[in-house]
Amino acid sequence: MLRKVTVTLSSVLMIVGLVVLTWGFRDLPLDERPEWMSWQMVLWPIIVLGLADVTRFLRYFRHGLTVRADRFRLAVHGLPAFVIAVVPAGTFTDWLGPRSMWALLDFPTAKVMAALWLAFTLWSAWEVQAP
């Protein structure tokens, strides 16, 4: 029952977070995104998705199982997602040119998707092992 309530609550918080993020980006020119918005965009989904997974991890620990991080997955998925989400707008355009397809990573949509990608990677990169 607690798991269902936690998952439901995390879903509601995710919707609220997406509304807040979208509202914050709505009237901003691409290059005027405040730095606090980048961190909010990264932390919100990590916290909300974590609410759903922490109860699952606690249940594993109670049954004597151990949880191990998949560092390869964290490096290969988490690091690029983190970089895309937090670098200032215009960085990829400056590095690779405005005609490069990679310049699209400067848009707010890509940054929000990268933040969600990072959150999913952080919470799915754990493996359960028997002691």
Side-chain angles (χ1 to χ4, degrees), residues 45-46 49-50 52-54 56-57 60 67-74 77-78 116-128:
I46 290 172
L49 293 176
D53 281 340
V54 165
R56 182 171 51 105
F57 291 152
Y60 292 150
V67 178
R68 183 183 74 77
D70 181 355
R71 290 183 297 222
F72 179 74
R73 180 185 235 181
L74 289 172
H77 278 273
L116 294 172
W117 176 27
L118 175 63
F120 178 77
T121 299
L122 288 177
W123 288 108
S124 65
W126 298 93
E127 298 174 348
V128 178

Side-chain angles (χ1 to χ4, degrees), residues 30-102:
L30 185 61
D31 59 345
E32 293 183 17
R33 182 180 57 151
E35 200 58 35
W36 64 266
M37 197 173 286
S38 297
W39 291 106
Q40 175 186 352
M41 180 176 61
V42 169
L43 291 176
W44 189 273
I46 290 172
I47 291 168
V48 171
L49 293 176
L51 285 175
D53 281 340
V54 165
T55 57
R56 182 171 51 105
F57 291 152
L58 291 175
R59 191 172 61 241
Y60 292 150
F61 293 137
R62 276 195 307 265
H63 292 295
L65 300 172
T66 58
V67 178
R68 183 183 74 77
D70 181 355
R71 290 183 297 222
F72 179 74
R73 180 185 235 181
L74 289 172
V76 172
H77 278 273
L79 193 59
F82 179 76
V83 169
I84 292 167
V86 301
V87 297
T91 301
F92 291 104
T93 302
D94 289 342
W95 288 347
L96 304 164
R99 293 182 186 248
S100 168
M101 71 176 188
W102 305 110

Side-chain angles (χ1 to χ4, degrees), residues 19-33:
V19 169
V20 168
L21 289 172
T22 304
W23 191 358
F25 283 125
R26 183 187 58 195
D27 297 327
L28 287 176
L30 185 61
D31 59 345
E32 293 183 17
R33 182 180 57 151

